[in-house]
mmCIF file of all heavy atoms in Angstrom:
data_model
loop_
_atom_site.group_PDB
_atom_site.id
_atom_site.type_symbol
_atom_site.label_atom_id
_atom_site.label_comp_id
_atom_site.label_asym_id
_atom_site.label_seq_id
_atom_site.Cartn_x
_atom_site.Cartn_y
_atom_site.Cartn_z
ATOM 1 N N ALA A 1 32.389 80.525 57.321
ATOM 2 C CA ALA A 1 33.352 79.477 57.661
ATOM 3 C C ALA A 1 34.773 80.015 57.549
ATOM 4 O O ALA A 1 35.105 80.748 56.618
ATOM 5 C CB ALA A 1 33.161 78.275 56.743
ATOM 6 N N LYS A 2 35.619 79.645 58.495
ATOM 7 C CA LYS A 2 36.990 80.142 58.517
ATOM 8 C C LYS A 2 37.902 79.410 57.531
ATOM 9 O O LYS A 2 39.040 79.838 57.320
ATOM 10 C CB LYS A 2 37.571 80.015 59.926
ATOM 11 C CG LYS A 2 37.045 81.047 60.907
ATOM 12 C CD LYS A 2 37.786 80.960 62.229
ATOM 13 C CE LYS A 2 37.354 82.058 63.190
ATOM 14 N NZ LYS A 2 38.103 82.005 64.469
ATOM 15 N N ASP A 3 37.428 78.316 56.930
ATOM 16 C CA ASP A 3 38.295 77.570 56.019
ATOM 17 C C ASP A 3 38.342 78.241 54.649
ATOM 18 O O ASP A 3 37.753 79.313 54.433
ATOM 19 C CB ASP A 3 37.839 76.102 55.918
ATOM 20 C CG ASP A 3 36.446 75.951 55.308
ATOM 21 O OD1 ASP A 3 35.944 76.919 54.703
ATOM 22 O OD2 ASP A 3 35.851 74.861 55.437
ATOM 23 N N ALA A 4 39.032 77.608 53.722
ATOM 24 C CA ALA A 4 39.245 78.199 52.403
ATOM 25 C C ALA A 4 37.968 78.324 51.585
ATOM 26 O O ALA A 4 37.881 79.137 50.662
ATOM 27 C CB ALA A 4 40.281 77.376 51.633
ATOM 28 N N GLY A 5 36.928 77.526 51.922
ATOM 29 C CA GLY A 5 35.679 77.585 51.175
ATOM 30 C C GLY A 5 34.830 78.807 51.461
ATOM 31 O O GLY A 5 34.046 79.252 50.633
ATOM 32 N N LYS A 6 34.961 79.371 52.677
ATOM 33 C CA LYS A 6 34.257 80.594 53.092
ATOM 34 C C LYS A 6 32.740 80.510 52.894
ATOM 35 O O LYS A 6 32.100 81.481 52.502
ATOM 36 C CB LYS A 6 34.799 81.814 52.341
ATOM 37 C CG LYS A 6 36.286 82.064 52.534
ATOM 38 C CD LYS A 6 36.613 82.363 53.979
ATOM 39 C CE LYS A 6 38.097 82.620 54.188
ATOM 40 N NZ LYS A 6 38.459 82.796 55.607
ATOM 41 N N LYS A 7 32.154 79.355 53.199
ATOM 42 C CA LYS A 7 30.708 79.230 53.114
ATOM 43 C C LYS A 7 30.040 80.138 54.144
ATOM 44 O O LYS A 7 30.584 80.374 55.231
ATOM 45 C CB LYS A 7 30.277 77.776 53.353
ATOM 46 C CG LYS A 7 30.460 76.867 52.163
ATOM 47 C CD LYS A 7 29.456 77.219 51.062
ATOM 48 C CE LYS A 7 29.623 76.278 49.862
ATOM 49 N NZ LYS A 7 28.673 76.624 48.797
ATOM 50 N N LYS A 8 28.840 80.646 53.810
ATOM 51 C CA LYS A 8 28.135 81.569 54.691
ATOM 52 C C LYS A 8 26.760 81.026 55.072
ATOM 53 O O LYS A 8 26.137 80.284 54.310
ATOM 54 C CB LYS A 8 27.955 82.933 54.019
ATOM 55 C CG LYS A 8 29.245 83.667 53.722
ATOM 56 C CD LYS A 8 28.970 85.007 53.045
ATOM 57 C CE LYS A 8 30.244 85.732 52.654
ATOM 58 N NZ LYS A 8 30.986 86.218 53.810
ATOM 59 N N ALA A 9 26.294 81.432 56.240
ATOM 60 C CA ALA A 9 24.928 81.145 56.682
ATOM 61 C C ALA A 9 24.372 82.443 57.260
ATOM 62 O O ALA A 9 25.074 83.164 57.968
ATOM 63 C CB ALA A 9 24.904 80.043 57.729
ATOM 64 N N THR A 10 23.122 82.752 56.952
ATOM 65 C CA THR A 10 22.516 83.997 57.437
ATOM 66 C C THR A 10 21.291 83.693 58.295
ATOM 67 O O THR A 10 20.599 82.689 58.093
ATOM 68 C CB THR A 10 22.109 84.924 56.289
ATOM 69 O OG1 THR A 10 21.187 84.239 55.427
ATOM 70 C CG2 THR A 10 23.334 85.360 55.491
ATOM 71 N N PHE A 11 21.048 84.598 59.245
ATOM 72 C CA PHE A 11 19.924 84.444 60.165
ATOM 73 C C PHE A 11 19.273 85.811 60.337
ATOM 74 O O PHE A 11 19.915 86.772 60.758
ATOM 75 C CB PHE A 11 20.415 83.915 61.522
ATOM 76 C CG PHE A 11 19.324 83.454 62.435
ATOM 77 C CD1 PHE A 11 18.886 82.144 62.415
ATOM 78 C CD2 PHE A 11 18.722 84.338 63.327
ATOM 79 C CE1 PHE A 11 17.877 81.705 63.257
ATOM 80 C CE2 PHE A 11 17.715 83.917 64.174
ATOM 81 C CZ PHE A 11 17.284 82.592 64.143
ATOM 82 N N LYS A 12 17.994 85.906 59.984
ATOM 83 C CA LYS A 12 17.268 87.184 60.055
ATOM 84 C C LYS A 12 16.602 87.337 61.425
ATOM 85 O O LYS A 12 15.875 86.453 61.869
ATOM 86 C CB LYS A 12 16.206 87.253 58.948
ATOM 87 C CG LYS A 12 15.449 88.567 58.910
ATOM 88 C CD LYS A 12 14.404 88.551 57.785
ATOM 89 C CE LYS A 12 13.609 89.849 57.765
ATOM 90 N NZ LYS A 12 12.579 89.833 56.687
ATOM 91 N N VAL A 13 16.867 88.464 62.063
ATOM 92 C CA VAL A 13 16.293 88.748 63.379
ATOM 93 C C VAL A 13 15.393 89.980 63.279
ATOM 94 O O VAL A 13 15.839 91.047 62.860
ATOM 95 C CB VAL A 13 17.380 88.990 64.438
ATOM 96 C CG1 VAL A 13 16.750 89.190 65.817
ATOM 97 C CG2 VAL A 13 18.374 87.837 64.472
ATOM 98 N N THR A 14 14.144 89.813 63.640
ATOM 99 C CA THR A 14 13.204 90.939 63.711
ATOM 100 C C THR A 14 13.035 91.297 65.178
ATOM 101 O O THR A 14 12.616 90.455 65.988
ATOM 102 C CB THR A 14 11.842 90.571 63.097
ATOM 103 O OG1 THR A 14 12.033 90.196 61.723
ATOM 104 C CG2 THR A 14 10.889 91.751 63.162
ATOM 105 N N VAL A 15 13.394 92.521 65.511
ATOM 106 C CA VAL A 15 13.345 92.969 66.908
ATOM 107 C C VAL A 15 12.173 93.928 67.082
ATOM 108 O O VAL A 15 12.064 94.928 66.380
ATOM 109 C CB VAL A 15 14.654 93.669 67.317
ATOM 110 C CG1 VAL A 15 14.616 94.014 68.803
ATOM 111 C CG2 VAL A 15 15.858 92.781 67.008
ATOM 112 N N LYS A 16 11.299 93.592 68.012
ATOM 113 C CA LYS A 16 10.149 94.446 68.305
ATOM 114 C C LYS A 16 10.388 95.231 69.596
ATOM 115 O O LYS A 16 11.177 94.817 70.443
ATOM 116 C CB LYS A 16 8.876 93.599 68.439
ATOM 117 C CG LYS A 16 8.441 92.953 67.135
ATOM 118 C CD LYS A 16 7.108 92.236 67.304
ATOM 119 C CE LYS A 16 6.615 91.672 65.980
ATOM 120 N NZ LYS A 16 5.294 90.997 66.136
ATOM 121 N N LYS A 17 9.688 96.343 69.700
ATOM 122 C CA LYS A 17 9.813 97.145 70.913
ATOM 123 C C LYS A 17 9.358 96.341 72.125
ATOM 124 O O LYS A 17 8.387 95.590 72.054
ATOM 125 C CB LYS A 17 8.964 98.415 70.801
ATOM 126 C CG LYS A 17 9.539 99.471 69.879
ATOM 127 C CD LYS A 17 8.683 100.725 69.910
ATOM 128 C CE LYS A 17 9.278 101.804 69.009
ATOM 129 N NZ LYS A 17 8.454 103.035 69.021
ATOM 130 N N LYS A 18 10.074 96.542 73.207
ATOM 131 C CA LYS A 18 9.713 95.848 74.434
ATOM 132 C C LYS A 18 8.425 96.432 74.977
ATOM 133 O O LYS A 18 8.280 97.644 75.110
ATOM 134 C CB LYS A 18 10.833 95.994 75.464
ATOM 135 C CG LYS A 18 10.653 95.122 76.696
ATOM 136 C CD LYS A 18 11.861 95.228 77.606
ATOM 137 C CE LYS A 18 11.723 94.314 78.811
ATOM 138 N NZ LYS A 18 12.918 94.401 79.699
ATOM 139 N N ALA A 19 7.477 95.547 75.244
ATOM 140 C CA ALA A 19 6.192 96.008 75.761
ATOM 141 C C ALA A 19 6.381 96.659 77.124
ATOM 142 O O ALA A 19 7.071 96.114 77.995
ATOM 143 C CB ALA A 19 5.224 94.834 75.878
ATOM 144 N N VAL A 20 5.818 97.827 77.265
ATOM 145 C CA VAL A 20 5.922 98.553 78.532
ATOM 146 C C VAL A 20 4.769 98.121 79.435
ATOM 147 O O VAL A 20 3.597 98.310 79.101
ATOM 148 C CB VAL A 20 5.874 100.080 78.304
ATOM 149 C CG1 VAL A 20 5.944 100.805 79.635
ATOM 150 C CG2 VAL A 20 7.007 100.506 77.393
ATOM 151 N N THR A 21 5.122 97.546 80.542
ATOM 152 C CA THR A 21 4.099 97.132 81.502
ATOM 153 C C THR A 21 3.653 98.340 82.296
ATOM 154 O O THR A 21 4.466 98.996 82.954
ATOM 155 C CB THR A 21 4.664 96.067 82.469
ATOM 156 O OG1 THR A 21 5.155 94.967 81.713
ATOM 157 C CG2 THR A 21 3.586 95.598 83.428
ATOM 158 N N PRO A 22 2.382 98.673 82.191
ATOM 159 C CA PRO A 22 1.923 99.856 82.918
ATOM 160 C C PRO A 22 2.100 99.692 84.423
ATOM 161 O O PRO A 22 1.902 98.603 84.969
ATOM 162 C CB PRO A 22 0.443 99.949 82.534
ATOM 163 C CG PRO A 22 0.070 98.579 82.084
ATOM 164 C CD PRO A 22 1.300 97.990 81.486
ATOM 165 N N ALA A 23 2.499 100.763 85.034
ATOM 166 C CA ALA A 23 2.698 100.723 86.480
ATOM 167 C C ALA A 23 1.371 100.462 87.182
ATOM 168 O O ALA A 23 0.322 100.969 86.763
ATOM 169 C CB ALA A 23 3.293 102.041 86.955
ATOM 170 N N LYS A 24 1.421 99.662 88.198
ATOM 171 C CA LYS A 24 0.217 99.329 88.941
ATOM 172 C C LYS A 24 -0.216 100.533 89.766
ATOM 173 O O LYS A 24 0.550 101.061 90.560
ATOM 174 C CB LYS A 24 0.489 98.134 89.859
ATOM 175 C CG LYS A 24 -0.760 97.604 90.536
ATOM 176 C CD LYS A 24 -0.427 96.380 91.371
ATOM 177 C CE LYS A 24 -1.698 95.840 92.043
ATOM 178 N NZ LYS A 24 -1.388 94.640 92.873
ATOM 179 N N PRO A 25 -1.459 100.985 89.541
ATOM 180 C CA PRO A 25 -1.907 102.167 90.280
ATOM 181 C C PRO A 25 -2.134 101.866 91.756
ATOM 182 O O PRO A 25 -2.570 100.770 92.126
ATOM 183 C CB PRO A 25 -3.213 102.539 89.579
ATOM 184 C CG PRO A 25 -3.712 101.261 88.992
ATOM 185 C CD PRO A 25 -2.488 100.476 88.627
ATOM 186 N N THR A 26 -1.828 102.811 92.572
ATOM 187 C CA THR A 26 -2.079 102.705 94.008
ATOM 188 C C THR A 26 -2.776 103.980 94.465
ATOM 189 O O THR A 26 -2.731 105.008 93.794
ATOM 190 C CB THR A 26 -0.771 102.520 94.796
ATOM 191 O OG1 THR A 26 0.080 103.664 94.560
ATOM 192 C CG2 THR A 26 -0.039 101.269 94.373
ATOM 193 N N THR A 27 -3.412 103.909 95.594
ATOM 194 C CA THR A 27 -4.101 105.084 96.127
ATOM 195 C C THR A 27 -3.335 105.639 97.323
ATOM 196 O O THR A 27 -2.749 104.887 98.106
ATOM 197 C CB THR A 27 -5.538 104.751 96.544
ATOM 198 O OG1 THR A 27 -5.516 103.696 97.512
ATOM 199 C CG2 THR A 27 -6.354 104.322 95.338
ATOM 200 N N GLU A 28 -3.351 106.941 97.421
ATOM 201 C CA GLU A 28 -2.740 107.632 98.557
ATOM 202 C C GLU A 28 -3.803 108.519 99.200
ATOM 203 O O GLU A 28 -4.517 109.243 98.493
ATOM 204 C CB GLU A 28 -1.570 108.495 98.100
ATOM 205 C CG GLU A 28 -0.394 107.725 97.540
ATOM 206 C CD GLU A 28 0.713 108.656 97.040
ATOM 207 O OE1 GLU A 28 0.457 109.886 96.924
ATOM 208 O OE2 GLU A 28 1.813 108.152 96.773
#
């Protein structure tokens, strides 16, 4: 808080690796 009381609030963020979508196979 920007006022004289300076109260705080915290928020925990857990970040996981972005799942890699396998490329769709094609035939040549």
Side-chain angles (χ1 to χ4, degrees):
K2 285 187 175 182
D3 64 15
K6 301 297 180 185
K7 281 290 181 181
K8 296 180 184 290
T10 58
F11 192 90
K12 183 180 178 181
V13 184
T14 301
V15 185
K16 293 185 176 181
K17 286 184 179 180
K18 189 175 183 179
V20 178
T21 303
K24 188 177 181 180
T26 60
T27 57
E28 295 177 348

